[in-house]
């Protein structure tokens, strides 16, 4: 079994010229503590006020001028410009991290830095992403002071990545990509060894869209399903038939998937409910297929449901679509 490269990266190992801006041990320890603090205090999308304040304070302590987004969470910080504001010239390299957590409990038991907030957890690694970009920014700021930074760099701490349409839209509207000609980001992946970076040509993660379906009927008694509309059976058919339907309407090479995360209906075993809801996500790896999304939605129903969908948009944002048989 090969040895994992941890806690130091290959760039820190002996042999050959070291990369400029290697991470000092003192800063490494500080970043570990910073990440664990974020892990203990997770905040949901558009509520990341403590997280934003912590990032801002550390960047200001390094002599930088971060700017909080207009929505109140998330921030932008330029390195290598005269004013610290948005540079007008082209050629900015952006480094992006997401900062929000998930609405799920932290189930770790023997961990000193487990979440202290009930039903909130950094289970997707955004605390790591935030710390990586923060640490990178601190090192790059030091390189800039030494005159070794070859181009301006912008740190983008994006809020609300876990919700749709998401904080990317807010960040872009607030100038996060003004003057940027290249942007880099990383995401934790348990399949990649510590100290390694995984790369591939083409998309790695898919565009994500939320899909909600609402079904309504007169309701009734389970002894007389023939006298009403059996919404539970209808919801079950939608849950199984809709993914199969979509797979026959798009190119099989597009990487499309529809997966349900929530199905709710009824309260009593002998009552046919009047309402049913399904919610899930649609994911796609192909931009052209994504732009055809409004043509997909013809729900498998014996009625004449209404179907509303917005104009095709970039998978950067995602949209929410709702079917209804009202």
């Amino acid at each position: 079994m090969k040895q994992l490269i941890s806690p130091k990266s290959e760039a820190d190992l002996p042999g050959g010229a070291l990369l400029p801006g290697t991470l000092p041990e003192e800063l490494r320890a500080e970043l570990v503590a910073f990440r664990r603090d974020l892990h203990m205090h997770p905040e949901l999308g558009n509520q990341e006020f403590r997280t934003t304040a912590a990032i801002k304070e550390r960047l200001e302590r390094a002599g930088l001028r971060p700017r909080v987004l207009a929505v109140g969470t998330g921030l932008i910080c330029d390195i290598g410009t005269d004013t610290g504001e948005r540079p007008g010239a082209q050629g900015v390299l952006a480094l992006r991290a997401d900062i929000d957590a998930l609405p799920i409990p932290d189930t770790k038991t023997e961990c000193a830095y487990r979440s202290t907030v009930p039903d909130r957890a950094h289970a997707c690694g955004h605390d790591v992403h935030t710390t990586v970009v923060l640490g990178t920014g601190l090192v790059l700021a030091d390189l800039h002071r030494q005159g070794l930074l070859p181009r301006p760099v912008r740190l983008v701490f994006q809020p609300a990545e876990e919700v749709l349409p998401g904080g990317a839209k807010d960040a872009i509207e607030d100038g996060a990509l003004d003057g940027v000609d290249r942007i880099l980001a990383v995401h934790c992946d348990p399949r990649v060894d510590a100290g390694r970076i995984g790369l591939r040509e083409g998309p790695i993660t898919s565009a994500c869209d939320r899909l909600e379906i609402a079904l309504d009927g007169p309701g009734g008694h389970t002894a007389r399903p023939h006298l009403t509309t059996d919404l539970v059976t209808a919801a079950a058919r939608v849950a199984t038939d809709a993914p199969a339907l979509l797979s026959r309407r798009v190119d099989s090479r597009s990487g499309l998937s529809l997966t349900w995360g929530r199905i709710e209906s009824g309260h009593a075993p002998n009552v046919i409910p009047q309402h049913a809801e399904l919610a899930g996500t649609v994911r796609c790896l192909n931009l052209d297929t994504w732009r055809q999304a409004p043509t997909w939605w013809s729900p498998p129903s014996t009625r004449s449901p209404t179907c509303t969908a917005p104009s095709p948009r970039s998978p950067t944002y995602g949209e929410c679509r709702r079917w209804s048989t009202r």
Side-chain angles (χ1 to χ4, degrees):
M1 179 181 296
K2 63 181 179 181
Q3 182 179 1
L4 299 184
I5 302 174
S6 178
K8 295 188 175 183
S9 71
E10 286 185 300
D12 297 324
L13 296 180
L18 295 180
L19 294 174
T22 52
L23 198 61
E25 189 58 39
E26 181 180 356
L27 179 56
R28 188 193 301 276
E30 178 190 351
L31 293 175
V32 169
F34 187 91
R35 179 257 165 176
R36 292 182 175 182
D37 179 75
L38 294 185
H39 197 82
M40 294 174 66
H41 302 91
E43 297 173 301
L44 298 184
N46 297 314
Q47 302 174 24
E48 314 96 327
F49 298 104
R50 183 186 186 278
T51 302
T52 298
I55 300 168
K56 182 173 182 290
E57 187 278 331
R58 185 60 183 91
L59 291 172
E60 289 178 338
R61 191 149 39 96
L64 299 171
R65 302 180 185 179
R67 176 171 61 86
V68 177
L69 300 181
V71 294
T73 61
L75 59 156
I76 301 168
C77 183
D78 286 341
I79 304 170
T81 62
D82 294 333
T83 63
E85 300 296 331
R86 311 174 195 175
Q90 296 296 312
V92 177
L93 170 65
L95 304 176
R96 174 263 187 191
D98 34 21
I99 66 174
D100 57 328
L102 288 167
I104 60 176
D106 189 343
T107 58
K108 297 190 297 294
T109 55
E110 298 180 2
C111 179
Y113 54 90
R114 69 189 302 268
S115 174
T116 61
V117 184
D119 297 322
R120 302 287 186 269
H122 269 298
C124 198
H126 294 190
D127 52 336
V128 177
H129 307 165
T130 299
T131 305
V132 167
V133 171
L134 172 64
T136 302
L138 296 176
V139 172
L140 293 179
D142 184 60
L143 290 179
H144 176 59
R145 286 189 287 269
Q146 300 176 48
L148 299 176
L149 191 66
R151 63 186 297 175
V153 174
R154 176 172 300 150
L155 311 179
V156 179
F157 296 92
Q158 176 198 321
E161 191 272 342
E162 296 289 357
V163 299
L164 294 174
K169 183 175 182 292
D170 295 324
I172 292 171
E173 290 177 349
D174 207 357
L177 297 185
D178 290 357
V180 172
D181 65 359
R182 183 172 298 180
I183 183 167
L184 302 176
V186 294
H187 200 293
C188 293
D189 190 335
R191 299 169 299 178
V192 180
D193 292 344
R196 303 278 184 173
I197 295 292
L199 300 172
R200 59 162 290 178
E201 293 185 4
I204 295 178
T205 58
S206 60
C208 180
D209 205 345
R210 186 172 70 247
L211 174 65
E212 295 179 353
I213 299 177
L215 304 175
D216 291 280
H221 199 285
T222 56
R224 299 176 179 85
H226 58 292
L227 299 180
T228 185
T229 301
D230 186 352
L231 286 189
V232 174
T233 298
R237 287 294 304 274
V238 171
T240 56
D241 291 355
L245 174 68
L246 290 183
S247 69
R248 295 301 180 267
R249 296 198 169 196
V250 300
D251 191 324
S252 60
R253 297 168 294 181
S254 64
L256 177 89
S257 70
L258 165 58
T259 305
W260 304 109
R262 180 175 65 87
I263 301 177
E264 295 183 6
S265 185
H267 301 283
N270 62 339
V271 178
I272 296 175
Q274 295 179 310
H275 183 74
E277 291 186 0
L278 301 89
T281 58
V282 180
R283 299 174 186 269
C284 188
L285 291 171
N286 183 278
L287 182 58
D288 291 335
T289 300
W290 190 263
R291 287 170 172 162
Q292 298 169 11
T295 67
W296 300 342
W297 312 113
S298 295
S301 172
T302 57
R303 298 190 175 192
S304 299
T306 59
C307 177
T308 59
S311 302
R313 298 180 64 183
S314 165
T316 301
Y317 307 132
E319 292 294 342
C320 175
R321 319 192 196 285
R322 187 174 184 88
W323 293 345
S324 176
T325 59
R326 292 186 180 91

